Amino acid sequence: MNKLPEIFESFGEARRNGFLKVKEFKDRDENVVGTFCTYTPKEIIYAAGAHPISLCSVSEETIPEAEKHLPKNLCPLIKASYGFALTDKCPYMYFADMVVGETTCDGKKKMYELLGELKDTHVMQLPQNQSADGLELWKNEMYRLIEKLEDKFATQVTSESLRGAIKSCNEDRKLLREFHELGRLKPSVIKGFDIFNVLNGANYTFDKVEMREKVRNTISEVRAKYEKGEFLPEGPRILVTGCPIGGVADKVINAIENTGAIVVALENCQGYKELHEDVDESIDPVEAIAKKYLNIPCSVMTPNDKRIELLKDMIDEYQVDGVIDMTLQACHTYSIESHNVKNILVGEKKTPYMMLETNYSKSDEGQIKTRVEAFVEIL
C-alpha cells in the first residue's frame, strides 16, 4: 500500500552501490576527484570531465589508526577522513586520482599535509570572511583548481563546459531543495531520518538521470500521502543545525524522533546549508561559482551572519518548535558559535534551543537519549 519505506531504503543503499559505479568509471579510464566538504566547487570538477566523489569520513572504524598520527582530542570527522586514507579502507579514496580539500579549519589543513603523502592532494585556501576581498581571494582559488585539473587530466576547462556544469548542478540543487522543503508540510508526512537518507543517498547516486527520477518519484509519493491525509503522529517540530551530521545521524536524529518529536529540517552541511542558494547563471561562470560557495554559512566564517539569517528564516518556514545544535567534539568554531546562536534564537525568535556535543562512538547514546527526552518534554 505504501512504497515510501522501500524508496528510502534504496537511497540508503546508494552509498554502498556507489562503490561499483566508481569502479566502472575507472574501468572506462574516467577521472575521479575525491572531496570532503561542501565548499568544493563540484561544477569545476565536472567541467574538467571528472567525477567529484565524497570520501569516507563518517565512521569510527579507522579512528584508532588515525590517532597513531593525529591527536586524540581532534574532531572525529578529521580523524576518520585521514584514517580511511591511511588504512586504504575507503573504495572512493582508492579509486580517486586526486583529492581536493579546503582550509576550513586548522585541524583539516594540517591533516591535508599528511594526506598529501598518501594521495595527490590539492588544497584550496578558503577565506575566513565573505567580504569583497575574500571573494577575490576565493575566485583566485577557483582558477588555481582549474589549472590543477587541466594539468592533472590533460584537459581544458572552458566557459562553455563550466556553464553546462552550473546548469546541471543547479537542477540537482533545485530538486533536492524541493525534497527537503517537504519538511515544511504540517502535519508532517516524512521523518527527518528519511530526509537525511534521501539527501545523502542522492549524493552517491552518480547516474544523475536515475537520481533525479528517484527524487521526483519520492516527492510525488510524499505529496500524495499528504493529500490523502496520511500524516505522522503529531509531535514537536525540531530543526537540527551544526556540524556535518553524517557520522552521527543514526544516533542523533533517531534519538530525537524516538521521543515522538519530528525532525522537519536539517540545516547542516549534508542538509539545507549548501542547497538553499544556486549558482548565478547570468554572470561570469568562475565568479558565479566563487560567490555561491563563499556564501555557504559555515561556522568557519567570521562573522557568520548568514547562518543566523538562514536559521531564523527556516524556523519560520518550517514552523519549528525547537532547535538542536549538534556539535562534534573538538570542533571549536561550531562550539564557540553556539553561544551567539543560542542567544539570538532564544532571545529574538523565542525558540527553545539545546547544544548537543558528541562524537562517532556509541558510548554516549544513553546520555543523548536522556538529554533529548528532557528537551522534547519541555516543548
Side-chain angles (χ1 to χ4, degrees):
M1 108 178 189
N2 185 333
K3 295 182 181 178
L4 282 177
E6 182 182 335
I7 289 177
F8 293 142
E9 286 171 12
S10 73
F11 278 103
E13 295 168 359
R15 186 171 176 272
R16 294 186 294 275
N17 296 337
F19 296 156
L20 300 177
K21 190 66 177 178
V22 175
K23 183 178 183 302
E24 289 179 20
F25 292 157
K26 297 312 300 175
D27 288 343
R28 297 196 297 263
D29 291 325
E30 297 177 18
N31 299 316
V32 171
V33 176
T35 68
F36 288 113
C37 181
T38 51
Y39 279 111
T40 305
K42 56 190 176 183
E43 288 86 351
I44 291 177
I45 297 172
Y46 281 126
H51 301 279
I53 308 293
S54 294
L55 298 170
C56 307
S57 61
V58 294
S59 166
E60 65 175 337
E61 177 186 358
T62 64
I63 286 179
E65 287 300 313
E67 287 178 342
K68 294 178 180 179
H69 299 178
L70 300 173
K72 286 181 167 51
N73 62 340
L74 187 63
C75 160
L77 186 150
I78 298 173
K79 291 189 290 187
S81 300
Y82 179 67
F84 274 107
L86 188 64
T87 59
D88 216 13
K89 288 185 176 180
C90 177
Y92 295 129
M93 178 67 80
Y94 175 81
F95 288 123
D97 298 288
M98 61 173 284
V99 172
V100 176
E102 310 81 6
T103 55
T104 46
C105 70
D106 290 344
K108 274 190 176 180
K109 72 184 182 186
K110 298 306 290 185
M111 182 272 284
Y112 291 144
E113 293 178 9
L114 304 185
L115 184 62
E117 298 172 6
L118 306 173
K119 181 75 71 168
D120 184 6
T121 302
H122 177 81
V123 180
M124 303 183 73
Q125 303 297 322
L126 178 70
Q128 302 294 283
N129 63 69
Q130 294 159 327
S131 65
D133 288 340
L135 176 60
E136 195 61 32
L137 289 169
W138 193 227
K139 192 160 70 170
N140 288 336
E141 290 300 299
M142 300 297 118
Y143 286 116
R144 281 186 61 242
L145 177 60
I146 289 172
E147 183 179 349
K148 169 68 178 182
L149 293 169
E150 288 180 332
D151 290 344
K152 179 75 176 179
F153 301 132
T155 188
Q156 186 175 8
V157 175
T158 65
S159 292
E160 184 180 4
S161 63
L162 283 170
R163 292 187 188 281
I166 288 171
K167 185 174 182 179
S168 177
C169 290
N170 276 348
E171 184 178 344
D172 292 344
R173 282 189 195 94
K174 289 183 176 74
L175 187 60
L176 294 174
R177 185 164 64 237
E178 181 182 354
F179 169 75
H180 183 278
E181 288 171 356
L182 292 173
R184 295 178 179 178
L185 296 175
K186 189 175 183 180
S188 297
V189 289
I190 183 171
K191 290 188 173 183
F193 194 66
D194 292 327
I195 292 174
F196 168 79
N197 271 335
V198 171
L199 294 178
N200 190 50
N203 191 43
Y204 288 99
T205 306
F206 302 120
D207 183 329
K208 293 302 179 185
V209 174
E210 176 191 358
M211 184 275 284
R212 291 166 184 166
E213 182 180 4
K214 287 173 68 176
V215 174
R216 287 191 188 102
N217 289 341
T218 305
I219 292 171
S220 296
E221 294 202 27
V222 171
R223 290 197 178 280
K225 281 174 67 71
Y226 185 78
E227 295 300 324
K228 293 175 185 176
E230 297 178 14
F231 309 130
L232 296 172
E234 287 194 40
R237 297 167 64 84
I238 305 295
L239 181 152
V240 177
T241 182
C243 292
I245 200 168
V248 296
D250 183 62
K251 181 168 63 172
V252 173
I253 298 176
N254 281 333
I256 297 168
E257 299 195 317
N258 285 343
T259 67
I262 303 166
V263 174
V264 296
L266 298 166
E267 185 269 345
N268 316 66
C269 294
Q270 288 146 306
Y272 203 64
K273 191 187 297 288
E274 193 275 337
L275 297 175
H276 81 285
E277 182 177 331
D278 294 330
V279 178
D280 189 341
E281 298 182 32
S282 67
I283 63 175
D284 172 74
V286 174
E287 181 172 0
I289 292 169
K291 278 186 175 180
K292 182 268 180 297
Y293 282 91
L294 190 62
N295 277 343
I296 293 174
C298 177
S299 65
V300 299
M301 293 296 161
T302 180
N304 190 22
D305 298 332
K306 291 182 185 296
R307 181 188 179 201
I308 298 296
E309 293 306 313
L310 179 60
L311 285 172
K312 290 195 294 186
D313 289 344
M314 292 179 73
I315 285 171
D316 293 337
E317 292 164 1
Y318 289 80
Q319 300 178 67
V320 169
D321 297 311
V323 172
I324 292 182
D325 193 352
M326 194 289 299
T327 302
L328 293 174
Q329 286 180 354
C331 182
H332 303 310
T333 57
Y334 272 105
S335 293
I336 295 170
E337 193 166 277
S338 66
H339 177 75
N340 284 340
V341 171
K342 176 182 179 179
N343 287 345
I344 291 171
L345 297 191
V346 174
E348 182 179 335
K349 298 301 293 181
K350 310 300 181 189
T351 303
Y353 166 97
M354 179 178 72
M355 199 270 264
L356 193 66
E357 186 177 64
T358 186
N359 58 25
Y360 286 176
S361 76
K362 303 291 186 183
S363 62
D364 62 349
E365 283 185 329
Q367 181 190 35
I368 287 175
K369 178 176 180 291
T370 300
R371 291 196 62 206
V372 168
E373 285 175 348
F375 179 71
V376 171
E377 188 174 339
I378 69 169
L379 299 180

